Amino acid sequence: IVDGADNPNFEIKNDVLISYKGSAENVFVSVASKIGFGAFKGNETLKSVELSSGVDRIFSSAFADCANLEKIIIPKNVSSIGDGAFTGCSSLKSVVLPEKIDSLSYFFIGCENLREIVFGENIEMISKQAFAVCSSLQNFDLPASLTEIGTEAFSTCSAITTLAIPSKVASIGEA
């Protein structure tokens, strides 16, 4: 496991991890409170990432196209995850989302091996195409707090056989 402390592979500015240039398979991030836009984008060797409890925000495309990323540990302090943060992480298998996250926007498009997602109990909106092309997705329960499901939120999720829609959902986009 590679840590960010005194590691030249981590570029950090104003407490934001701007980029990771290393080639480690397993990375623990403890040196910044925010994971910047595209910080790990396209890293081909990354298999697992653990974010320390000091991380509170993940910016857009932070882990996009990390095709071999199988596991991400997101701490409960994270209150914001940007659009497309995990798009194209085709090896990702399961994700537990923190309670502070209240909406999902394009997070997991193309995560073909994502089988399981655990939603926090504060999710109110799953936006357009949030899980599009997650063809293995099958293990999840939509939280009771959910009020809106966007257009094509679960498009091409062929492993889903049943889906219980919570009673608070007032808006469902087109399939």
Side-chain angles (χ1 to χ4, degrees):
I1 292 182
V2 174
D3 191 331
D6 300 319
N7 187 322
N9 290 317
F10 287 88
E11 180 185 350
I12 300 162
K13 290 183 183 173
N14 299 324
D15 206 26
V16 176
L17 175 58
I18 302 297
S19 70
Y20 173 70
K21 303 290 186 205
S23 59
E25 290 184 356
N26 305 302
V27 176
F28 176 71
V29 178
S30 65
V31 295
S33 66
K34 293 163 186 37
I35 308 300
F37 176 84
F40 289 87
K41 187 174 183 170
N43 186 303
E44 301 264 328
T45 58
L46 201 59
K47 287 195 174 181
S48 76
V49 174
E50 180 177 353
L51 305 176
S52 77
S53 62
V55 174
D56 60 15
R57 185 169 183 190
I58 300 171
F59 284 87
S60 297
S61 303
F63 296 95
D65 302 320
C66 291
N68 294 308
L69 182 64
E70 297 173 1
K71 180 179 180 183
I72 177 86
I73 298 174
I74 304 170
K76 64 182 180 179
N77 298 4
V78 172
S79 60
S80 175
I81 299 177
D83 292 350
F86 301 99
T87 295
C89 292
S90 56
S91 296
L92 196 60
K93 293 182 171 110
S94 69
V95 173
V96 176
L97 292 170
E99 293 293 324
K100 292 183 179 182
I101 301 297
D102 62 3
S103 65
L104 301 175
S105 181
Y106 306 102
F107 281 11
F108 300 104
I109 295 172
C111 294
E112 295 125 11
N113 287 300
L114 183 64
R115 290 186 183 98
E116 178 180 28
I117 183 126
V118 177
F119 293 100
E121 286 302 315
N122 293 315
I123 298 284
E124 294 176 0
M125 181 181 77
I126 297 175
S127 80
K128 178 180 174 181
Q129 298 180 337
F131 296 96
V133 197
C134 292
S135 54
S136 298
L137 186 61
Q138 58 186 347
N139 297 323
F140 66 95
D141 292 315
L142 295 174
S145 57
L146 191 65
T147 61
E148 181 178 347
I149 300 173
T151 300
E152 299 177 339
F154 297 98
S155 174
T156 320
C157 293
S158 54
I160 297 174
T161 56
T162 60
L163 185 62
I165 307 294
S167 62
K168 287 185 180 179
V169 173
S171 174
I172 300 176
E174 295 178 22

